[in-house]
Amino acid sequence: MSVHLHSQIPQSALMLTAAAIPIAGWALHVRALHRRLSGDSLSGALRRPEFERRARRIIRRHHGEVLLCVVDLDYLKRINDNWGHEAGDAAVAATGARLVRWAGDGAVGRFGGDEMAAITWVPAASDPTVVARAQRQKLTELKRMLSEPVDTPTGPMPVGVSVGGASALHLGVSDLPRLMRGADVAMYRTKHQPFPGWAEQNDLRARQVNGRRKGRPGTALAVESQPA
């Protein structure tokens, strides 16, 4: 019976079926390679180009529901000096994991040693005030989550994280650069404070250097530019 069925299957179909297994394996390999190249293995966050691509897609889909935050891990150098680089890595890894959990179906990116960003959304309500209140609560929840001690082999390690948030609805903007600018300025304004920063309209007019807030590392020798 099996011989009879085999004789009825075209040779080309058999060849395609045989080739499907290595092709499927190659596709899985390519996807895994893409994840490694677009992601940061330590924090579990995306690298900046992939984060920005996904963030723009989320903004297009969710508009005023979007909440974007910028995060700085405070005193990372001090952690490395006093606790060792393994402890510093643990702080980065824990911060990344907490951001991923907070963002849910959103996206998390790592832009530098201690600088990360996350984008998520809060389901819209009929009253914009309700949306803004829910977004502020979610931002406060993030600050509390990120400030929890990190477990290390030598015991719980205290961490400090500065957080700034930008609401697309509150600011009336729907483009990633201005949301990033607002969140970054709000974060810097409340640096080392026990509460998160909340971006306001004035924050969108902050001076920037090569797309980064004036005062950021690496901008001292660059040419200043006014926001668009």
Side-chain angles (χ1 to χ4, degrees):
M1 182 65 178
S2 60
V3 174
H4 177 68
L5 287 174
H6 184 278
S7 64
Q8 294 184 30
I9 300 175
Q11 187 67 23
S12 59
L14 290 174
M15 293 175 64
L16 287 172
T17 301
I21 295 176
I23 289 174
W26 176 251
L28 290 173
H29 170 73
V30 169
R31 284 198 292 270
L33 180 62
H34 175 71
R35 283 195 297 269
R36 287 198 299 272
L37 293 176
S38 62
D40 173 62
S41 59
L42 178 59
S43 66
L46 300 168
R47 300 189 194 278
R48 185 163 197 147
E50 180 65 12
F51 171 79
E52 290 181 346
R53 186 185 71 81
R54 296 193 190 185
R56 287 189 173 94
R57 184 174 62 192
I58 289 170
I59 292 170
R60 286 196 301 270
R61 289 181 178 178
H62 297 280
H63 306 291
E65 299 176 334
V66 167
L67 175 62
L68 184 143
C69 71
V70 169
V71 169
D72 262 7
L73 185 59
D74 299 336
Y75 309 119
L76 182 59
K77 184 180 184 303
R78 185 182 301 177
I79 292 174
N80 288 330
D81 292 343
N82 295 342
W83 293 68
H85 285 276
E86 288 186 1
D89 287 349
V92 171
T95 300
R98 291 166 179 176
L99 279 169
V100 168
R101 187 165 70 250
W102 176 83
D105 293 330
V108 176
R110 185 183 182 193
F111 304 156
D114 60 356
E115 182 183 358
M116 300 185 198
I119 186 169
T120 187
W121 61 91
V122 176
S126 56
D127 184 354
T129 305
V130 175
V131 179
R133 185 184 304 120
Q135 289 177 333
R136 284 178 178 267
Q137 290 174 347
K138 192 168 181 66
L139 195 65
T140 300
E141 170 194 324
L142 175 63
K143 172 70 175 181
R144 183 169 56 249
M145 181 190 303
L146 294 178
S147 300
E148 294 175 358
V150 173
D151 290 331
T152 72
T154 57
M157 177 180 63
V159 293
V161 180
S162 298
V163 178
S167 161
L169 177 66
H170 180 69
L171 295 175
V173 300
S174 58
D175 62 284
L176 181 60
R178 284 194 289 176
L179 285 173
M180 287 287 294
R181 183 189 307 161
D184 186 57
V185 173
M187 182 278 297
Y188 184 75
R189 186 174 60 248
T190 55
K191 189 75 172 166
H192 307 312
Q193 298 298 316
F195 48 84
W198 181 255
E200 301 291 352
Q201 285 290 335
N202 285 341
D203 296 327
L204 301 181
R205 294 188 284 273
R207 289 183 179 274
Q208 61 172 334
V209 180
N210 295 342
R212 291 167 62 82
R213 174 185 41 76
K214 183 181 179 183
R216 275 291 196 186
T219 62
L221 300 179
V223 178
E224 292 185 15
S225 61
Q226 291 284 354

